[in-house]
Amino acid sequence: MLLALTLFLGTGCTMLHQTPTGAPTSRAAPSVTPSPKARDILLAQQFDLDMEGAGPVSCRDDLHQLTRGHTNQQPQVWVSSGEDATGASAAVAAGLGEESRLCLHGFPPGEPITVTIKAGGRTYTTSVKRLAELTAAPSALDDLFNGRPVEVVDIGGGLLESGSWTFLPSDPALTDIARSGRFTVSASSGGVRAESKVPLRLPRGATAMEGWEDNHRLAVYGYPAGTHVPIGLYRPEHRWNGRVAVLQREVGRVVMPAHRVGVFTVPPDVFRGISAEPADDEDPACLSVADLAACVT
């Protein structure tokens, strides 16, 4: 299952100074920071694996922001990935590859709720399943787009909050949303209805896609259109000051399309290497893209 895929840090990780691709050495190479407009970018020789990730997503914090702290009983629905880790925007938005939640406010208790997503002229419909406690069942990356009910719990004050999942819809929704930069979410329960337009954040990163074990596909996103984004194979190592991922080799490249979401199919030999059970004293090899301290196994 996708829970076996370990994303050590969120896609909003601290960006690194890059060093040229090549065989790792014990001596640090001079750092190089490519221009954001460069069409070719470089892989890091190594990066830390024990850095802190982004904070948890809170529907209550979002509601306070959306209502500016005032009491508001109007029904509302939104999808949120929490604060923008880069600080570039304070808008409530969904971040591709980021942990996200569905939030609903002001809907009558005990009544069924239907949620509809519209993106690129297509419509996706799902139901809301109210529970006293969320189950431990793993979430899919394309939740809200696969028709399966979404579990929510009542956290008080008329606010319903889903469990978190990594926001990465499957195609065609993925491409539609990336091209438009937003999607519409609405919720209805009897005569009560709410709708909002949810902006899409595109932080730089890479995430294993739904069905990873079968399709071996990695979504790469957030880089400028036309950029040649290298994918590297890394081997975790334990050092005196923590764990680091050390570059082994480049395994391929993705050219960013205009909508800034590309797909890379991992070569069979590489996939076998990162999915194989490691020895007792080793961590599994992983993949990463340029200038982000994030590792996918």
Side-chain angles (χ1 to χ4, degrees):
M1 290 299 295
L2 287 167
L3 287 181
L5 308 177
T6 305
L7 185 62
F8 288 92
L9 288 178
T11 53
C13 304
T14 303
M15 294 187 182
L16 307 176
H17 292 296
Q18 302 305 309
T19 53
T21 301
T25 63
S26 58
R27 182 174 299 175
S31 63
V32 178
T33 304
S35 163
K37 295 183 180 179
R39 298 186 69 81
D40 290 280
I41 54 180
L42 305 173
L43 289 166
Q45 290 286 334
Q46 66 181 45
F47 55 82
D48 293 336
L49 283 173
D50 297 323
M51 299 172 64
E52 294 183 1
V57 185
S58 169
C59 292
R60 194 175 300 283
D61 289 347
D62 286 344
L63 182 62
H64 188 274
Q65 179 178 338
L66 291 168
T67 61
R68 294 188 172 91
H70 299 298
T71 301
N72 182 1
Q73 296 304 319
Q74 293 296 317
Q76 297 188 66
V77 59
W78 67 96
V79 177
S80 174
S81 299
E83 294 182 4
D84 183 351
T86 68
S89 172
V92 175
L96 202 65
E98 296 182 349
E99 290 300 299
S100 304
R101 294 186 192 272
L102 171 68
C103 308
L104 302 110
H105 178 254
F107 286 85
E111 295 295 327
I113 302 174
T114 298
V115 172
T116 300
I117 304 287
K118 292 183 179 179
R122 297 178 176 89
T123 299
Y124 306 84
T125 302
T126 188
S127 60
V128 169
K129 186 177 182 179
R130 303 189 201 220
L131 297 174
E133 185 176 341
L134 297 173
T135 70
S139 296
L141 301 184
D142 57 357
D143 272 2
L144 296 182
F145 299 87
N146 57 26
R148 291 195 287 269
V150 177
E151 296 181 354
V152 299
V153 292
D154 190 333
I155 60 174
L159 189 57
L160 301 174
E161 183 176 86
S162 76
S164 63
W165 77 96
T166 302
F167 185 80
L168 189 69
S170 298
D171 270 330
L174 175 61
T175 299
D176 288 342
I177 293 172
R179 282 176 174 162
S180 64
R182 65 183 60 244
F183 60 94
T184 300
V185 56
S186 62
S188 59
S189 178
V192 179
R193 188 178 186 279
E195 181 179 291
S196 65
K197 294 187 182 302
V198 181
L200 178 71
R201 281 203 304 264
L202 271 176
R204 294 187 180 189
T207 302
M209 300 183 71
E210 189 71 33
W212 160 262
E213 297 92 341
D214 299 318
N215 60 39
H216 309 169
R217 295 196 305 166
L218 197 68
V220 181
Y221 42 84
Y223 293 85
T227 302
H228 295 223
V229 183
I231 293 90
L233 178 68
Y234 288 80
R235 175 69 64 182
E237 293 183 4
H238 292 268
R239 303 283 177 83
W240 66 271
N241 58 343
R243 291 191 311 146
V244 297
V246 180
L247 178 65
Q248 304 298 295
R249 62 187 174 95
E250 181 181 312
V251 298
R253 293 197 165 212
V254 174
V255 180
M256 282 290 98
H259 60 277
R260 299 171 59 208
V261 178
V263 176
F264 175 73
T265 301
V266 180
D269 63 313
V270 176
F271 185 82
R272 286 193 295 270
I274 64 176
S275 60
E277 191 70 26
D280 291 340
D281 59 345
E282 291 184 345
D283 289 324
C286 61
L287 299 173
S288 189
V289 294
D291 74 15
L292 287 173
C295 214
V296 181
T297 60

